[in-house]
Amino acid sequence: MPVILENLQFHRATIMPKDGSVKFLINIFDSSGDFELVEGGSVAVSGRVRLPEDVEKEQLDLPPPAAPRGDFQELEKADVYKDLRLRGYDYNGVFRGIKQADNKGVTGKLEWIGNWISYIDTMLQFSILGLNTRELYLPTRMQRVCIDPRKHKQLVSQLGEATVPVYMYRDIDIIKSGGVELRGMKASLAPRRQQTQAAPKLEQYTFVPYINDKVMPVQQALTSLVQLALENSSGALKMKVVELGTDRMPENLLAPTIFDILESEPMLSVEYTVASNAPELYAALTEPLGAKSTKKDAAAGALEANCHLAVGADVAQSPALASLVESVKAGGFVLLEESPDIPDATLKATGLEVIAKAKAERRAYILLRKVVDQPTPVVISVTEKNFSWVETLKEALKQSEAEGKHVLLVSQGEEMFGLVGMMNCLKQEPGGNNVRSVFIQDAKAPTFSLTSAQYAAQLRKGLVHNMLRGGVWGSMRHLKLEATDASLQVEHAYINAITRGDLASLKWIEGPLTFYKPEDYPNSEL
């Protein structure tokens, strides 16, 4: 049965829940044909509905529009919905019905699956394509909708396929497809949904010395060391961490900070355990993190088994350090929180290799590792001047995978060489766990040699990245940017909402008159 809807007005959006149902009440006034669609006691849509006497006279007989001039391109389905997603629309399932369209939104093809709701919505989507905007618009009014099911069914039968042409006549504001004609659609700018995605992480990728005497914020100090431990954990996708909590207040534990650092890494899960003689004290801290709290005696052996990282505080001269060391697997790390003036002799007495050290305002954080004899590697000098070393590297990786042979890539004298990125990729390749790199970015450094004391001492630590810059060994780290106050003292400012429709985002913004110089315009007056 053909039907005509006129003077449609969408008063408000209705949020459809994932579970449950939404009930609509339809009121139609017989005398006038006016109708209301009511949900939750308020009108959602209003307009007028009628049955035409001759539906063919109600629709305009228009020829297909001419192909647009200029930069004309045919877009496939994936391209169309990628463009719509960038504008803020997130269509799924049957509502992804545009099969083909041009980039001007003039001609295209729509999928017909026997669903009028999704089909008409797809026509509205098509009308958006030609708009030269990246904003999110929603329909608020429609002058006229004419639906002729018989004509539509006949056209689909003639075409012999489940796709129907669609045409947009922008000069007269009409969309036609099959037996449906939409006239005079008006759309209004809608505020983007809040918190549709996580806030961006603002970080800097910077060189951090392994022995860092510069005082850093606690978050950055721990980030540099925890990332270093993760980087040298043979590509682990699940990081197992244990922290000794005995004799420490819950608020002094490093668990929340370390957990946050590891959880921010992509494709990594964390198994965190807090071991103490009174686990009930830490339950309120560990449960929100999804961590465990277990009862362990710090002097009675390993706290956990096969950990990648063991964490303790003020235990450098305590028997508890031995328990932390026993808890880590071969190649694992021990992270200590100690006094900033802890003597080097005390750290040396632990029998562990000092891998890295970072200082905060009141504490020092030291990353330790068991000393392991490193086998003599195959040394390959890499350069961007030629690529003769590529085949040698391929063969070395095969040996590494088959025989466990260690490979060492060395770059010296080319500070802009992309060795860091290449190493991050090689780690993911078969045999990549045995590859290490030495990146010498110091013009005063001696020529690399395995027998040189300076290089041998660093290579004994078995780290993936070994960068020498300014006479200091270190590596590149992702550190969070510190929040700064962006307020300025200005002569002219105005107030506006940073997010359209969100009054909570009202901010004072520096105005253009701040940059006005009267001396440049002697004959003008504001």
Side-chain angles (χ1 to χ4, degrees), residues 228-287:
L228 179 59
L230 174 62
E231 181 179 78
N232 291 274
S233 295
S234 302
L237 296 178
K238 184 175 184 179
M239 195 78 170
K240 189 175 182 181
V241 185
V242 63
E243 180 173 1
L244 178 61
T246 300
D247 300 328
R248 301 185 69 194
M249 297 299 293
E251 60 269 19
N252 293 331
L253 291 184
L254 300 180
T257 305
I258 294 177
F259 199 89
D260 180 61
I261 294 169
L262 292 174
E263 282 288 294
S264 66
E265 297 292 330
M267 300 177 64
L268 180 71
S269 60
V270 184
E271 181 183 337
Y272 206 106
T273 303
V274 175
S276 68
N277 53 5
E280 62 277 2
L281 294 177
Y282 307 100
L285 176 75
T286 56
E287 287 179 3

Side-chain angles (χ1 to χ4, degrees), residues 203-204 208 216-230 257-258 260-262 264-265 335 358 365 367 476-480:
E203 297 178 331
Q204 56 178 331
V208 177
M216 307 171 68
V218 174
Q219 176 78 23
Q220 288 192 355
L222 285 173
T223 298
S224 64
L225 300 184
V226 173
Q227 286 183 1
L228 179 59
L230 174 62
T257 305
I258 294 177
D260 180 61
I261 294 169
L262 292 174
S264 66
E265 297 292 330
L335 176 61
Y365 299 94
L367 193 66
M476 303 299 293
R477 292 285 153 246
H478 290 276
L479 301 180
K480 283 187 177 181

Side-chain angles (χ1 to χ4, degrees), residues 421-450:
M422 185 173 72
M423 270 300 304
N424 289 334
C425 295
L426 288 176
K427 287 192 304 180
Q428 312 301 324
E429 297 292 331
N433 287 338
N434 297 321
V435 182
R436 304 290 183 265
S437 70
V438 174
F439 194 5
I440 304 171
Q441 296 180 308
D442 190 342
K444 298 180 181 180
T447 303
F448 176 80
S449 171
L450 289 175

Side-chain angles (χ1 to χ4, degrees), residues 123-288:
M123 292 179 65
L124 297 177
Q125 298 171 25
F126 183 82
S127 68
I128 298 169
L129 285 177
L131 298 179
N132 187 22
T133 179
R134 287 292 177 187
E135 300 295 339
L136 178 66
Y137 282 85
L138 297 177
T140 53
R141 292 191 302 277
M142 190 83 69
Q143 181 183 347
R144 198 165 186 267
V145 177
C146 182
I147 304 174
D148 186 354
R150 296 192 191 94
K151 179 181 178 181
H152 191 84
K153 183 178 180 180
Q154 182 181 2
L155 182 60
V156 172
S157 299
Q158 290 176 355
L159 293 173
E161 56 181 349
T163 57
V164 183
V166 59
Y167 304 113
M168 179 70 193
Y169 303 87
R170 295 202 180 275
D171 293 340
I172 54 177
D173 202 9
I174 290 179
I175 315 169
K176 290 179 67 70
S177 180
V180 183
E181 180 182 288
L182 309 180
R183 295 188 195 177
M185 186 194 77
K186 303 297 180 183
S188 299
L189 187 63
R192 292 182 181 268
R193 288 181 295 176
Q194 301 297 309
Q195 298 178 346
T196 55
Q197 61 184 16
K201 292 194 300 181
L202 301 179
E203 297 178 331
Q204 56 178 331
Y205 192 49
T206 184
F207 176 81
V208 177
Y210 286 140
I211 306 300
N212 194 357
D213 294 326
K214 178 183 176 182
V215 176
M216 307 171 68
V218 174
Q219 176 78 23
Q220 288 192 355
L222 285 173
T223 298
S224 64
L225 300 184
V226 173
Q227 286 183 1
L228 179 59
L230 174 62
E231 181 179 78
N232 291 274
S233 295
S234 302
L237 296 178
K238 184 175 184 179
M239 195 78 170
K240 189 175 182 181
V241 185
V242 63
E243 180 173 1
L244 178 61
T246 300
D247 300 328
R248 301 185 69 194
M249 297 299 293
E251 60 269 19
N252 293 331
L253 291 184
L254 300 180
T257 305
I258 294 177
F259 199 89
D260 180 61
I261 294 169
L262 292 174
E263 282 288 294
S264 66
E265 297 292 330
M267 300 177 64
L268 180 71
S269 60
V270 184
E271 181 183 337
Y272 206 106
T273 303
V274 175
S276 68
N277 53 5
E280 62 277 2
L281 294 177
Y282 307 100
L285 176 75
T286 56
E287 287 179 3

Side-chain angles (χ1 to χ4, degrees), residues 304-511:
E304 285 286 331
N306 295 320
C307 291
H308 297 93
L309 180 65
V311 184
D314 300 313
V315 295
Q317 296 176 293
S318 166
L321 178 60
S323 298
L324 293 176
V325 175
E326 291 179 28
S327 301
V328 299
K329 62 194 303 183
F333 294 86
V334 175
L335 176 61
L336 300 183
E337 181 185 37
E338 301 289 337
S339 169
D341 54 358
I342 183 172
D344 292 339
T346 301
L347 297 176
K348 189 175 181 180
T350 62
L352 302 174
E353 186 77 34
V354 177
I355 301 299
K357 184 177 180 181
K359 287 186 178 180
E361 186 175 352
R362 298 179 181 178
R363 304 291 279 169
Y365 299 94
I366 303 106
L367 193 66
L368 305 171
R369 196 180 201 181
K370 288 182 181 179
V371 178
V372 179
D373 291 333
Q374 299 293 330
T376 303
V378 175
V379 179
I380 302 175
S381 294
V382 294
T383 175
E384 61 182 356
K385 297 177 181 177
N386 64 74
F387 299 99
S388 59
W389 49 269
V390 173
E391 293 301 323
T392 306
L393 177 58
K394 289 181 180 179
E395 292 300 321
L397 284 175
K398 290 180 181 178
Q399 284 188 331
S400 173
E401 182 183 9
E403 307 169 13
K405 190 72 174 178
H406 282 229
V407 181
L408 181 64
L409 305 183
V410 179
S411 175
Q412 186 169 10
E414 298 180 36
E415 295 186 5
M416 302 304 292
F417 186 59
L419 182 58
V420 175
M422 185 173 72
M423 270 300 304
N424 289 334
C425 295
L426 288 176
K427 287 192 304 180
Q428 312 301 324
E429 297 292 331
N433 287 338
N434 297 321
V435 182
R436 304 290 183 265
S437 70
V438 174
F439 194 5
I440 304 171
Q441 296 180 308
D442 190 342
K444 298 180 181 180
T447 303
F448 176 80
S449 171
L450 289 175
T451 59
S452 170
Q454 179 180 5
Y455 297 117
Q458 180 62 28
L459 291 176
R460 188 175 66 164
K461 299 177 181 180
L463 300 179
V464 172
H465 291 284
N466 302 275
M467 298 179 65
L468 183 61
R469 181 181 294 185
V472 178
W473 290 103
S475 58
M476 303 299 293
R477 292 285 153 246
H478 290 276
L479 301 180
K480 283 187 177 181
L481 290 173
E482 292 297 307
T484 57
D485 187 2
S487 298
L488 300 172
Q489 291 289 337
V490 297
E491 294 183 6
H492 174 254
Y494 64 94
I495 194 168
N496 197 6
I498 302 299
T499 303
R500 183 184 292 268
D502 182 9
L503 295 180
S505 67
L506 285 173
K507 299 287 184 182
W508 284 102
I509 302 170
E510 184 177 9

